[in-house]
Amino acid sequence: MAAPLLCARDLQFMLYELFDSESLTQRPRYADHSVETFNAAIDTAQSIAEKYFLPIRKKVDEQQPTFDGKNVHMIPEIKVAVDAATQAGFVSSTSDYELGGMQLPLIVAGVASSYLSAAGSTTMGYLALSSANANLIENHGSAEQIETWVKPIRSGRFAGTMAMTEPSAGSGLADLTTTAIPAGDGTYRIRGNKIFISGGDHELNENIVHLVLARIKGAPAGVKGISLFIVPKILVNADGSLGERNDVALAGLFHKMGGRGQTSTALSFGENDGAVGYLVGEEHRGLSYMFHMMNEARVMVGTNAACTALTGYQYSLDYARERLQGRLPSCKDPSSAPVNIVEHADVRRMLLAQKAYAEGAFALCMLGSQLADDKNTALSEKERLDAHTLLDFLTPIIKTWPSEYGPKANDLAIQILGGHGYINEHPVEMFYRDNRLNPIHEGTTGIQSLDLLGRKLPMNNLAGYRAFLATVQSTIDEALTGDLAPIADNLSGAVATLEKTTEHLLGAMLEKPIDLVMANSVKYLELFGHVVIAWLWLRQGLVAQSGLAAKPHEADTHFYLGKLQAMKYFYNFELPLIDVWSKNLLDLDATFYEMDNNWF
Amino acid sequence: MAAPLLCARDLQFMLYELFDSESLTQRPRYADHSVETFNAAIDTAQSIAEKYFLPIRKKVDEQQPTFDGKNVHMIPEIKVAVDAATQAGFVSSTSDYELGGMQLPLIVAGVASSYLSAAGSTTMGYLALSSANANLIENHGSAEQIETWVKPIRSGRFAGTMAMTEPSAGSGLADLTTTAIPAGDGTYRIRGNKIFISGGDHELNENIVHLVLARIKGAPAGVKGISLFIVPKILVNADGSLGERNDVALAGLFHKMGGRGQTSTALSFGENDGAVGYLVGEEHRGLSYMFHMMNEARVMVGTNAACTALTGYQYSLDYARERLQGRLPSCKDPSSAPVNIVEHADVRRMLLAQKAYAEGAFALCMLGSQLADDKNTALSEKERLDAHTLLDFLTPIIKTWPSEYGPKANDLAIQILGGHGYINEHPVEMFYRDNRLNPIHEGTTGIQSLDLLGRKLPMNNLAGYRAFLATVQSTIDEALTGDLAPIADNLSGAVATLEKTTEHLLGAMLEKPIDLVMANSVKYLELFGHVVIAWLWLRQGLVAQSGLAAKPHEADTHFYLGKLQAMKYFYNFELPLIDVWSKNLLDLDATFYEMDNNWF
């Protein structure tokens, strides 16, 4: 068996047929790029994934990092893999040439790093965090901070983390208690405990740059009194060389169900003299800066969930094509040969559902990257603003839908392998464990749903919501004139359901207790997510349809027919569920709101 | 934190209020029993669970058995726990007094062993398999076989297994290749390889009695040429003492995602001279005997899935009541105190869904036990036959619905704990891993669905199906006259949907390709399962309603209100989904049937 990590044909389809990424080369920032340079970056990532990440994937899962009370130990192969990817430029794939970057569009960098994610999502995690950390400092830090911290991160000398969560403040950032006291020399002394800090300690790099949320003494309560600090593991001298150890200590490692290669740490800041911290930007504005990193991290989480789903799909497909087992219901002759299990309709159900979830989720994440590229580099200010508006609105869905449906895809991969899927001879049980983190970190599904319904929807007079509706309508209009008109009609009905539901909830916000209106917000996000994915499947169907019209060679014909069938699966089996969810929302169902703690 | 393993009040509700188990004491077989003796057995199981099983649960998960090439090694605490439960009678809780049993009804034994399951499902697995093995031999073996094998199993000297699966024949039993050759002395020589044999080797007992499916030389192809053999690990002398080692070798251990305490083994039979085997019953009828054990095992799998869901629910409920985090959407004051997370509507959603899944699934499994008791001991032959018919029909649903929805409940328990749910400081991630086996073993969800639609439904002129409809109708009729009439109406509509769908499929079986009709059989089982669970929730609601009418003390009032709210959850959020599934079935949706292998 040699299942591919990802379907290369599908990645090309997404990049160049669905999202027309070639057109990005017309923008000044990407003028030196071409389809060839884009593909070269993707090929490099694939090679590194196959050479360094894939061979150690199982070992990384089975031999998780240990803590001897002072230092973290992990298998040395992780450093070899991280170094190879860093040297190939994957901590700086989107940053400026002058900063040593590849200056790639996010959408291309996203496809490239998908190979690394699919081959070793936890090893990839170190790189992704470092990159997001550097991006934040690059955007909100001073020139000196960029020089001191960003450059060594991009070159792989330093790593980066984000340190938000505290033992008593997980989703409730307003309650975080880590303090910062001005030291009089422009620096601060940081004191507090942080937990679940991914990559919070290790020896993969010379130094680790923590981005820490803390409260400056006297700051207002709540999220408006939070500031952001750079707190390095080791202080850095004026010439960039390493100085003394900062007052940051590893308190322990958590043992996770999955994602075991990446340390999850408890860190103590300032147990002795206070950890030296450097304020990023202005006081009390830390959370808004952190959201720069967090929004990026949320798209990354969605992408990771989608990649894990994609690679599980490829693995179970390969298994289903090779494994012989049983006969079709129509075959009554026990002496006939068993069939490959891919011939069983129920196995095809589980494969098609995986394809619909995984490729739908991946398309959504690529849309997120495309919007981020447009926000940064589209030629007109209006295009940049429009992209920003739509991306901001869709971020909770880009984070959540793949995180919820990616694990469902991996669940089906296990089921296809049966007993063999439940044991560690195959990686699908690991995918299932790894992917389960995604609905939790960077804002749980519950938090994302409150963000969508309570904040992103009403924001700016419904600007993001309206931008989404307009975009979908243009796809529907295009499709209504062709062979996919029935699908377009179907989507049109779903959009009407979404609009009716949304208007009802907006009205209720004015008239009913807000806690009641928000009580079913997860259903609203799920409904919205299904409409978004249905829209993206219609878009994939339209591309496939026109691809078929060009009478391609046999392999492409099969590929496009598969896209149309996955679209059909989504429209027949998934999209109709929104009617049930819509009814719950239109009823302002009070089952949860009225439930009393004592009744459980 | 000290979450109860299970909710004792709920177990009493199920046993005595919902299923009226006290009435069983009027049957001759249970004449020596009373509510007091029933509860004493349950209390004993609870004590053993809390004293021996719960304290080692985490260690059992983390230190899985190892194989040194010859023997299996496991932590000694498992033997202590297994011995304690055996000595208390839990390998023979339902068997005759003369065989050393407690002669308990299955429904009572089921509740008792639920504590063992919740506290350590894998440790419990050894006992459950031994018990089912002994039950099979007791029913189909000779008097000598009962003497030689059953008695030592009941007393705990020997353990029992079932050995069906082979490397190339998992779900496809028709293709199994293990052979049996008559040795001329009435015994056989068995040769072949079996995999995924739970408890296939260990040193917890003096001997292990394997029940092995094999083909006698010259037997017909397919399932009609399979015979059943007793193949002990160690041969037994005429006086019952242990003799020579049989030709059965452990080839290896599998490493499972969950259920790690119970060895999953690859066994080689007869690599040298052939393993000595003793035919059970008649030649070529082995599969029908094995189904005796398998049907029992299927109800056990459902019960295990339900118990794991129940205990995860209790754990996450306890956590939600203690954990402070965030504020309600209506609270805009960041200096106000954070609330217990049970106050958040979305956490209540996740708790109520768990309650509805877990208690619904457990009620279904107890119904299965009640039907098995009625089948064995109801006073009239008609009652016994009717119970047999209904149990046989419902078995695929009793096995599958809890196995599919139990893991969904555990998934929600993780989500309530957030990051804390993903690490091994709490057991919910283990429940999630453990429970994932249940949709696979003892017949996958796909296999159960084919069994329901293709075999159990049409069987005996729809007798099982009609018996189910009649039973449900009597509940509806009862409810239509009271406060729950709207719920009864709702169920009535769901039954009509089920009937319309069923008739359509039965008609299609005569007219359309059978492979097309069976292509959506998993959706049919899911639809049917939801109607069954909705019915059981109405029954629970009726009991709660009449409990409330009696103006009970405060704790019971809360308990009954909780039952009604969980019922409401199921009717508002879950039952409406059947309309979507019904439409797929009425359309004879061909998406999977038509999907081509090349299109993936």
Side-chain angles (χ1 to χ4, degrees):
Chain A
M1 289 222 318
L5 280 171
L6 296 169
C7 172
R9 178 68 187 86
D10 192 40
L11 298 181
Q12 294 285 310
F13 171 87
M14 297 261 179
L15 258 189
Y16 302 117
E17 296 177 75
L18 186 62
F19 290 111
D20 186 24
S21 301
E22 185 173 0
S23 67
L24 293 170
T25 60
Q26 289 158 23
R27 297 183 185 171
R29 183 173 174 84
Y30 309 122
D32 289 347
H33 277 296
S34 62
V35 166
E36 287 68 35
T37 62
F38 289 169
N39 285 343
I42 296 167
D43 290 346
T44 303
Q46 181 179 359
S47 306
I48 290 172
E50 291 173 353
K51 186 169 174 190
Y52 297 101
F53 282 53
L54 184 60
I56 68 170
R57 184 168 67 180
K58 189 174 177 192
K59 192 170 177 186
V60 168
D61 180 54
E62 290 179 351
Q63 300 183 26
Q64 51 183 324
T66 55
F67 177 43
D68 62 10
K70 200 168 165 232
N71 295 310
V72 171
H73 302 276
M74 59 178 77
I75 58 168
E77 292 90 335
I78 295 181
K79 183 164 169 56
V80 176
V82 166
D83 286 351
T86 304
Q87 278 154 29
F90 290 106
V91 185
S92 56
S93 49
T94 59
S95 55
D96 298 355
Y97 293 133
E98 300 97 79
L99 287 166
M102 289 196 252
Q103 212 160 306
L104 282 171
L106 279 161
I107 193 167
V108 177
V111 169
S113 60
S114 296
Y115 272 109
L116 303 174
S117 246
S121 64
T122 56
T123 305
M124 175 63 197
Y126 291 104
L127 300 166
L129 260 179
S130 293
S131 172
N133 173 302
N135 291 348
L136 185 153
I137 302 177
E138 223 170 280
N139 275 275
H140 300 288
S142 64
E144 191 193 332
Q145 286 171 340
I146 294 174
E147 189 64 32
T148 311
W149 310 111
V150 174
K151 285 194 173 171
I153 292 177
R154 297 294 188 202
S155 72
R157 274 184 66 210
F158 295 180
T161 77
M162 56 200 292
M164 292 194 298
T165 305
E166 297 182 2
S168 337
S171 296
L173 286 175
D175 294 312
L176 65 82
T177 59
T178 296
T179 57
I181 299 175
D185 60 354
T187 69
Y188 292 76
R189 291 299 169 273
I190 311 294
R191 288 186 178 81
N193 298 308
K194 298 283 180 180
I195 58 169
F196 299 147
I197 309 310
S198 295
D201 203 12
H202 54 73
E203 321 237 306
L204 296 170
N205 308 74
E206 290 176 28
N207 199 0
I208 302 176
V209 182
H210 305 293
L211 282 169
V212 180
L213 289 180
R215 234 174 248 295
I216 297 173
K217 269 260 147 103
V223 294
K224 289 177 182 159
I226 297 174
S227 302
L228 181 65
F229 298 88
I230 292 169
V231 186
K233 174 180 173 181
I234 301 171
L235 297 170
V236 171
N237 300 319
D239 64 356
S241 64
L242 294 183
E244 280 179 35
R245 182 76 197 230
N246 200 1
D247 189 7
V248 180
L250 177 64
L253 294 180
F254 296 101
H255 295 289
K256 293 174 289 182
M257 175 166 66
R260 292 187 162 168
Q262 191 172 25
T263 50
S264 179
T265 62
L267 295 179
S268 301
F269 290 91
E271 280 197 328
N272 301 306
D273 308 325
V276 176
Y278 309 96
L279 181 69
V280 176
E282 296 173 25
E283 291 183 353
H284 312 326
R285 297 200 50 207
L287 201 61
S288 70
Y289 306 143
M290 191 58 114
F291 264 100
H292 184 103
M293 182 167 180
M294 223 151 34
N295 279 329
E296 197 180 320
R298 285 173 175 180
V299 177
M300 270 166 29
V301 167
T303 310
N304 174 266
C307 289
T308 308
L310 284 171
T311 201
Y313 164 58
Q314 291 299 324
Y315 196 93
S316 63
L317 172 59
D318 192 63
Y319 184 89
R321 283 174 166 162
E322 298 213 348
R323 171 76 175 174
L324 291 165
Q325 189 85 99
R327 288 154 194 82
L328 299 189
S330 56
C331 172
K332 301 295 176 201
D333 175 9
S335 64
S336 63
V339 298
N340 287 116
I341 62 171
V342 72
E343 299 302 327
H344 294 300
D346 193 52
V347 172
R348 291 206 291 260
R349 170 183 70 84
M350 296 190 279
L351 288 169
L352 258 186
Q354 283 185 74
K355 183 175 169 73
Y357 295 159
E359 294 177 6
F362 193 68
L364 173 60
C365 297
M366 292 194 68
L367 171 74
S369 296
Q370 186 186 49
L371 290 171
D373 283 327
D374 288 349
K375 175 184 123 180
N376 296 331
T377 63
L379 296 179
S380 75
E381 190 181 345
K382 182 176 181 316
E383 285 172 281
R384 292 195 295 275
L385 272 175
D386 286 352
H388 189 163
T389 301
L390 189 54
L391 176 60
D392 212 36
F393 178 76
L394 288 176
T395 295
I397 298 170
I398 297 172
K399 194 272 168 180
T400 304
W401 201 93
S403 295
E404 290 288 334
Y405 284 82
K408 288 188 211 296
N410 292 141
D411 181 64
L412 294 168
I414 291 179
Q415 195 66 16
I416 287 174
L417 272 73
H420 297 276
Y422 194 66
I423 59 174
N424 69 356
E425 284 175 27
H426 298 277
V428 290
E429 58 90 19
M430 183 190 72
F431 298 150
Y432 181 70
R433 290 185 286 109
D434 287 355
N435 221 344
R436 184 61 189 82
L437 181 58
N438 288 317
I440 297 172
H441 64 165
E442 311 304 341
T444 64
T445 295
I447 294 289
Q448 301 297 332
S449 300
L450 292 173
D451 184 45
L452 178 68
L453 181 58
R455 203 167 147 271
K456 295 291 171 65
L457 174 65
M459 198 185 261
N460 297 331
N461 199 22
L462 313 183
Y465 172 65
R466 291 196 170 126
F468 171 74
L469 292 181
T471 308
V472 172
Q473 193 56 50
S474 70
T475 306
I476 292 173
D477 292 343
E478 180 193 342
L480 278 173
T481 61
D483 290 345
L484 298 184
I487 301 286
D489 268 335
N490 211 328
L491 180 59
S492 200
V495 170
T497 299
L498 172 65
E499 288 188 75
K500 186 170 75 170
T501 311
T502 303
E503 280 156 27
H504 188 77
L505 291 172
L506 288 168
M509 284 183 200
L510 305 174
E511 293 167 5
K512 304 275 181 176
I514 191 69
D515 296 338
L516 169 61
V517 182
M518 302 306 286
N520 300 311
S521 50
V522 165
K523 290 286 160 196
Y524 182 71
L525 188 146
E526 201 168 10
L527 186 167
F528 212 124
H530 260 46
V531 174
V532 174
I533 299 294
W535 163 58
L536 287 168
W537 269 113
L538 174 56
R539 283 183 59 180
Q540 294 190 65
L542 286 169
V543 175
Q545 197 76 21
S546 70
L548 283 171
K551 306 225 175 296
H553 57 73
E554 191 183 22
D556 266 7
T557 302
H558 289 154
F559 175 79
Y560 290 132
L561 288 169
K563 282 287 178 191
L564 289 170
Q565 201 75 357
M567 174 190 75
K568 197 168 159 186
Y569 167 80
F570 200 85
Y571 276 82
N572 289 7
F573 288 86
E574 294 289 336
L575 191 59
L577 297 169
I578 71 167
D579 292 330
V580 177
W581 304 331
S582 169
K583 180 166 187 314
N584 295 144
L585 291 159
L586 290 172
D587 291 346
L588 285 186
D589 190 291
T591 308
F592 314 133
Y593 177 70
E594 289 172 355
M595 180 71 188
D596 192 288
N597 178 15
N598 293 307
W599 301 351
F600 283 113
Chain B
M1 287 222 317
L5 280 171
L6 297 169
C7 172
R9 178 68 187 88
D10 192 41
L11 298 181
Q12 294 286 311
F13 170 87
M14 297 259 181
L15 257 188
Y16 303 116
E17 297 177 73
L18 186 63
F19 290 112
D20 185 24
S21 302
E22 186 172 0
S23 67
L24 292 171
T25 59
Q26 290 158 22
R27 298 184 184 171
R29 182 171 173 84
Y30 310 121
D32 289 346
H33 277 295
S34 63
V35 166
E36 287 69 35
T37 62
F38 289 170
N39 286 344
I42 295 167
D43 290 346
T44 304
Q46 182 180 358
S47 307
I48 289 172
E50 290 173 353
K51 186 168 174 191
Y52 297 101
F53 282 54
L54 185 59
I56 67 169
R57 183 167 68 181
K58 189 174 177 192
K59 193 171 177 186
V60 167
D61 180 53
E62 290 178 350
Q63 299 184 26
Q64 51 184 324
T66 54
F67 177 42
D68 63 9
K70 198 164 167 239
N71 294 308
V72 171
H73 303 277
M74 59 178 76
I75 58 167
E77 292 90 334
I78 294 181
K79 182 164 169 56
V80 176
V82 166
D83 285 351
T86 304
Q87 278 153 30
F90 291 106
V91 185
S92 55
S93 49
T94 60
S95 55
D96 298 356
Y97 294 131
E98 300 95 81
L99 287 166
M102 288 196 252
Q103 212 160 305
L104 283 171
L106 278 162
I107 193 166
V108 177
V111 170
S113 62
S114 296
Y115 272 108
L116 303 174
S117 245
S121 64
T122 56
T123 306
M124 174 63 197
Y126 292 104
L127 301 165
L129 260 179
S130 293
S131 172
N133 174 301
N135 292 348
L136 185 153
I137 302 176
E138 223 170 280
N139 275 276
H140 300 288
S142 65
E144 191 194 331
Q145 287 172 339
I146 293 173
E147 189 64 31
T148 311
W149 310 112
V150 173
K151 285 194 172 171
I153 291 177
R154 297 291 187 204
S155 72
R157 273 185 67 209
F158 295 180
T161 76
M162 58 200 289
M164 292 193 299
T165 305
E166 297 182 3
S168 332
S171 297
L173 287 175
D175 294 312
L176 66 82
T177 59
T178 297
T179 57
I181 299 174
D185 59 355
T187 68
Y188 292 76
R189 291 298 170 273
I190 311 293
R191 288 185 177 82
N193 298 307
K194 299 282 181 180
I195 58 169
F196 300 148
I197 310 310
S198 295
D201 202 11
H202 55 73
E203 321 237 307
L204 296 170
N205 307 75
E206 291 176 29
N207 199 0
I208 301 176
V209 182
H210 305 292
L211 283 169
V212 180
L213 290 180
R215 231 174 251 294
I216 296 173
K217 269 260 149 100
V223 294
K224 289 177 183 162
I226 297 174
S227 302
L228 181 66
F229 299 87
I230 292 169
V231 186
K233 174 180 171 181
I234 301 170
L235 298 171
V236 171
N237 300 320
D239 65 356
S241 64
L242 294 184
E244 280 179 36
R245 182 78 199 229
N246 200 1
D247 189 7
V248 180
L250 177 62
L253 294 179
F254 296 102
H255 295 288
K256 293 175 288 182
M257 176 165 67
R260 290 186 164 169
Q262 192 172 24
T263 50
S264 179
T265 62
L267 295 179
S268 299
F269 291 90
E271 280 198 328
N272 301 305
D273 306 326
V276 176
Y278 310 95
L279 181 68
V280 176
E282 296 171 25
E283 291 185 352
H284 312 325
R285 296 200 51 205
L287 202 61
S288 71
Y289 306 143
M290 192 58 113
F291 264 99
H292 184 104
M293 181 168 183
M294 219 145 44
N295 280 328
E296 196 181 321
R298 284 173 177 180
V299 178
M300 271 168 27
V301 167
T303 310
N304 174 267
C307 289
T308 308
L310 285 171
T311 200
Y313 164 58
Q314 290 300 324
Y315 195 93
S316 63
L317 172 59
D318 191 64
Y319 184 89
R321 283 173 166 163
E322 299 213 348
R323 170 78 174 173
L324 291 165
Q325 188 86 96
R327 288 155 193 82
L328 299 189
S330 57
C331 171
K332 300 296 177 203
D333 175 10
S335 64
S336 64
V339 299
N340 287 116
I341 62 171
V342 73
E343 300 301 327
H344 294 298
D346 192 53
V347 171
R348 291 206 291 262
R349 170 184 69 85
M350 295 189 280
L351 289 169
L352 259 185
Q354 283 184 76
K355 184 175 168 73
Y357 295 159
E359 294 177 7
F362 193 68
L364 172 61
C365 297
M366 292 194 67
L367 171 74
S369 296
Q370 187 188 46
L371 289 171
D373 282 327
D374 289 348
K375 176 185 122 179
N376 296 332
T377 63
L379 297 180
S380 75
E381 189 179 348
K382 183 178 181 310
E383 285 172 282
R384 292 195 294 275
L385 271 176
D386 286 352
H388 190 164
T389 301
L390 188 53
L391 176 60
D392 212 36
F393 179 75
L394 288 177
T395 295
I397 297 170
I398 297 172
K399 193 272 167 180
T400 304
W401 200 93
S403 296
E404 290 287 335
Y405 284 82
K408 288 189 213 297
N410 292 141
D411 180 65
L412 294 169
I414 291 180
Q415 195 67 16
I416 287 174
L417 272 74
H420 297 275
Y422 193 66
I423 60 174
N424 69 354
E425 285 175 26
H426 298 277
V428 290
E429 59 90 19
M430 185 191 69
F431 299 149
Y432 180 71
R433 288 184 286 109
D434 286 355
N435 222 343
R436 184 61 189 83
L437 181 58
N438 288 318
I440 297 172
H441 64 166
E442 309 307 337
T444 63
T445 295
I447 294 289
Q448 301 296 333
S449 301
L450 292 173
D451 183 45
L452 178 68
L453 180 57
R455 205 168 144 270
K456 296 290 171 64
L457 174 67
M459 199 184 259
N460 298 330
N461 200 21
L462 314 182
Y465 171 66
R466 290 196 172 125
F468 172 75
L469 291 180
T471 309
V472 172
Q473 193 55 51
S474 70
T475 306
I476 292 173
D477 292 344
E478 180 193 343
L480 277 173
T481 61
D483 290 346
L484 297 185
I487 302 286
D489 268 335
N490 210 328
L491 180 59
S492 200
V495 170
T497 300
L498 172 65
E499 289 189 75
K500 186 169 76 170
T501 310
T502 303
E503 281 155 28
H504 188 76
L505 290 173
L506 288 167
M509 284 182 199
L510 305 173
E511 293 168 5
K512 304 275 181 176
I514 191 68
D515 296 336
L516 169 61
V517 182
M518 302 306 285
N520 301 312
S521 51
V522 165
K523 291 284 157 196
Y524 183 71
L525 188 146
E526 199 167 12
L527 186 167
F528 212 124
H530 259 48
V531 174
V532 174
I533 299 293
W535 164 60
L536 288 167
W537 269 113
L538 174 57
R539 284 183 59 180
Q540 294 190 65
L542 287 168
V543 175
Q545 197 76 21
S546 70
L548 283 171
K551 306 228 177 293
H553 57 74
E554 192 184 22
D556 266 7
T557 303
H558 288 154
F559 175 79
Y560 291 131
L561 287 169
K563 282 286 179 192
L564 289 170
Q565 201 74 358
M567 175 191 73
K568 196 168 160 188
Y569 167 80
F570 201 85
Y571 275 83
N572 289 7
F573 288 87
E574 293 290 336
L575 190 60
L577 297 170
I578 70 167
D579 292 330
V580 177
W581 305 330
S582 168
K583 182 170 187 311
N584 296 144
L585 291 158
L586 291 172
D587 290 347
L588 286 186
D589 191 293
T591 308
F592 314 133
Y593 177 71
E594 289 172 354
M595 181 70 189
D596 191 288
N597 178 13
N598 293 305
W599 301 352
F600 283 112

